[in-house]
Amino acid sequence: MNKIDSVKETLEKYGQMHLLRFYDELNDEEKTDLIEQINSIDFAELKTAYNNETTNCAISNIEPLEDIYIKSDFSKSDVEEYSSISQEAIKQNKIAVLIMAGGQGTRLGFDGPKGTYKLKLSESVTKSIFQICVEDLLKAHDKYDIYPYCFIMTSDINHDDTIKFFEDNNYFTYDKNRIVFFKQGNMPLTDLEGNIALKDKSNIYFAPNGNGGIFKALHDEKVLATMEEKGIEYLFIANVDNILLNPFDDIVFGHIYSNKADLGIKTIIKENPEEKMGLCVNADDKFKIIEYIDMPKDKNDERCEDGTLKYKEGYFGVSYVSRDLLTRINTLKLPYHNAKKQNKYIDTNGNESKKDINSIKYEMFIFDGFGLSNKTILYRVNREDEFAPIKDKDSVENAIMLYKKKNC
Ligand code: UTP
């Protein structure tokens, strides 16, 4: 069977023949490229994701978390002990930073990688999000006289632009050999009936497969191998859009390191039930992070006698994960979460569709992998010290205010 026949067979099996609607109009190069794109799709996986067979598996027996360290409650002697452990480990390169920057950043409405978004900090000072991030690394360099590794996860939509930005800015004076870019995977976008969307006549509409794509990418892109080779035992993993990261947090990292935990999660207190933030809870007696949309409403809104939220440990995307755990999670098939969104694409009839909620985006979430942890420790930190997210234009001013309070 020749290539096109075998592709047709697969497409017929999965009801996706419309992908070849314009095939005869394409030139040879476009034809080959489209076939390659089709061959890169795991149709069975997409079908499962569309049918939502693996997601939102009934979450039951939810209880508030009880075991959590409050960072400000560590005694002076603990602080000294853990700080010295942490500093020793940092000097030995046991920890690296990983910034997840593969997302589309749709809500910010900025045409470019989110990390390249510039913030006006004063009349004369403007910094990009990436610059702010590298400045944390430079501070660590000044303190420990090493250049900690920094891995930046990108995706097809922003990989080249991200690297170019670092090149153009001379890596903000950081050691360029210690900033490593790697790409996460994609999933096709579909219409609401599960038909794969075309971006144009010869291209499938692919989107990054969610920040849960990190585990496979760490393996496939040889980041785990680099970590092993360099003796890096932990990754501090965070979202690109938080400009108050604190990767080299001596108390927290020293505590995680000395307790040989394979996962450390920072939490902040969720401000109100409507705040769009995942929650750290106990579910069936196990630690679990539940995305806000999946949290049962009655529990989400429940309050204690003193009026505070019963479920309040907000997950803001900051974790310390051991190499061992990262390696183990790589073998796990994470569920896909389906987000219905508005997008511009070519529909099954060959017409442009761009109105209303017309498509499904399939995303894995990083925290769905955390269930494999053998030892998780949670730390509640002060919100104002570590959380200044830039999600949309409205959040920029507040993030800058928080950043300046901490840094200026
Ligand atoms: P968000 O869920 O805020 O998504 O990502 P986003 O793509 O940045 O923005 P919207 O929803 O389109 O407006 C949280 C973090 O996870 C990263 C993002 O870059 C951000 O740091 N992420 C998200 C990835 O690295 N890959 C993805 O596929 C999705």
Side-chain angles (χ1 to χ4, degrees):
M1 201 187 305
N2 67 28
K3 260 190 188 169
I4 185 69
D5 287 340
S6 104
V7 163
K8 277 185 183 160
E9 194 177 289
T10 309
L11 293 179
E12 252 161 29
K13 179 172 167 201
Y14 289 99
Q16 305 282 0
M17 271 302 279
H18 61 278
L19 295 179
L20 296 179
R21 168 176 290 278
F22 303 103
Y23 189 75
D24 293 337
E25 297 174 32
L26 307 180
N27 64 34
D28 285 352
E29 202 181 315
E30 289 169 333
K31 280 182 179 161
T32 311
D33 195 30
L34 179 61
I35 297 298
E36 260 175 37
Q37 292 178 44
I38 294 173
N39 282 333
S40 74
I41 298 173
D42 184 336
F43 287 93
E45 181 181 55
L46 180 66
K47 191 171 171 215
T48 309
Y50 173 71
N51 290 333
N52 229 344
E53 284 161 21
T54 50
T55 15
N56 304 337
C57 15
I59 304 164
S60 50
N61 297 324
I62 301 176
E63 291 296 330
L65 268 179
E66 274 164 13
D67 292 337
I68 183 153
Y69 286 89
I70 317 286
K71 187 177 159 188
S72 54
D73 284 356
F74 275 91
S75 68
K76 195 163 171 274
S77 66
D78 279 350
V79 171
E80 278 168 14
E81 181 188 341
Y82 297 126
S83 295
S84 114
I85 292 169
S86 162
Q87 287 164 13
E88 203 41 49
I90 295 169
K91 277 187 206 147
Q92 290 172 18
N93 243 321
K94 298 287 180 203
I95 179 167
V97 171
L98 188 148
I99 302 297
M100 297 190 295
Q104 289 175 299
T106 331
R107 284 168 288 172
L108 186 59
F110 166 66
D111 188 19
K114 214 187 221 185
T116 67
Y117 187 73
K118 292 205 171 68
L119 303 164
K120 192 163 192 256
L121 301 176
S122 70
E123 273 313 308
S124 55
V125 181
T126 301
K127 289 181 187 174
S128 65
I129 298 181
F130 278 139
Q131 178 173 353
I132 289 174
C133 171
V134 174
E135 284 178 356
D136 285 335
L137 296 162
L138 285 165
K139 276 186 213 146
H141 168 68
D142 290 346
K143 192 166 168 192
Y144 303 108
D145 201 23
I146 59 145
Y147 283 101
Y149 271 85
C150 176
F151 300 99
I152 298 185
M153 182 164 84
T154 61
S155 60
D156 273 337
I157 55 170
N158 60 26
H159 185 76
D160 295 344
D161 289 344
T162 302
I163 295 179
K164 184 170 183 311
F165 184 75
F166 274 84
E167 289 282 342
D168 289 348
N169 287 284
N170 189 30
Y171 289 72
F172 304 100
T173 73
Y174 204 69
D175 179 350
K176 66 179 281 186
N177 298 315
R178 300 266 171 147
I179 297 189
V180 179
F181 304 91
F182 70 103
K183 253 198 270 184
Q184 66 174 103
N186 289 316
M187 269 297 263
L189 194 84
T190 71
D191 67 12
L192 299 178
E193 280 75 48
N195 303 302
I196 296 173
L198 280 171
K199 187 126 198 156
D200 52 45
K201 291 182 177 182
S202 60
N203 285 296
I204 289 173
Y205 197 134
F206 285 107
N209 59 2
N211 59 23
I214 185 174
F215 303 112
K216 189 168 182 314
L218 284 173
H219 175 266
D220 294 355
E221 301 287 304
K222 312 264 182 298
V223 176
L224 285 175
T226 304
M227 286 176 70
E228 193 171 357
E229 187 196 323
K230 308 289 176 198
I232 300 165
E233 288 177 23
Y234 283 86
L235 285 183
F236 166 86
I237 303 180
N239 296 346
V240 69
D241 49 31
N242 181 1
I243 55 168
L244 273 187
L245 296 178
N246 183 12
F248 305 99
D249 180 335
D250 282 331
I251 307 171
V252 167
F253 179 57
H255 191 259
I256 293 170
Y257 195 77
S258 59
N259 279 283
K260 298 192 168 51
D262 56 14
L263 179 64
I265 306 268
K266 287 187 176 180
T267 74
I268 52 176
I269 293 186
K270 193 168 163 164
E271 276 182 335
N272 56 62
E274 289 76 38
E275 190 172 16
K276 292 179 174 164
M277 182 179 279
L279 276 167
C280 298
V281 301
N282 267 325
D284 289 330
D285 282 335
K286 278 198 77 181
F287 162 71
K288 188 168 175 63
I289 297 173
I290 302 183
E291 182 62 338
Y292 62 95
I293 33 170
D294 296 331
M295 185 72 181
K297 178 145 174 50
D298 55 330
K299 301 248 182 231
N300 189 56
D301 296 355
E302 201 172 339
R303 291 190 183 265
C304 306
E305 271 178 17
D306 64 2
T308 56
L309 284 174
K310 187 165 174 191
Y311 296 88
K312 59 176 180 290
E313 300 301 339
Y315 166 74
F316 63 108
V318 170
S319 56
Y320 292 83
V321 192
S322 74
R323 192 176 80 225
D324 165 59
L325 178 57
L326 292 167
T327 310
R328 281 187 287 119
I329 300 175
N330 176 48
T331 60
L332 193 71
K333 250 205 161 352
L334 296 188
Y336 279 95
H337 299 253
N338 304 358
K340 295 193 170 139
K341 299 199 170 182
Q342 182 180 0
N343 272 295
K344 195 167 128 189
Y345 63 88
I346 300 192
D347 68 17
T348 49
N349 297 318
N351 301 319
E352 187 177 86
S353 171
K354 59 179 178 187
K355 285 212 189 104
D356 306 325
I357 299 294
N358 59 357
S359 60
I360 305 177
K361 194 175 164 213
Y362 301 88
E363 288 193 295
M364 292 180 277
F365 292 163
I366 181 172
F367 53 72
D368 282 328
F370 291 165
L372 282 195
S373 160
N374 293 325
K375 186 167 186 176
T376 304
I377 310 184
L378 290 117
Y379 304 88
R380 188 193 300 158
V381 300
N382 197 352
R383 185 180 182 111
E384 291 215 336
D385 290 340
E386 309 205 16
F387 187 54
I390 295 183
K391 291 288 180 195
D392 52 25
K393 291 256 159 53
D394 290 342
S395 56
V396 174
E397 198 182 320
N398 190 49
I400 291 178
M401 189 270 291
L402 290 167
Y403 175 84
K404 283 165 67 171
K405 211 164 153 189
K406 193 86 199 294
N407 292 280
C408 301

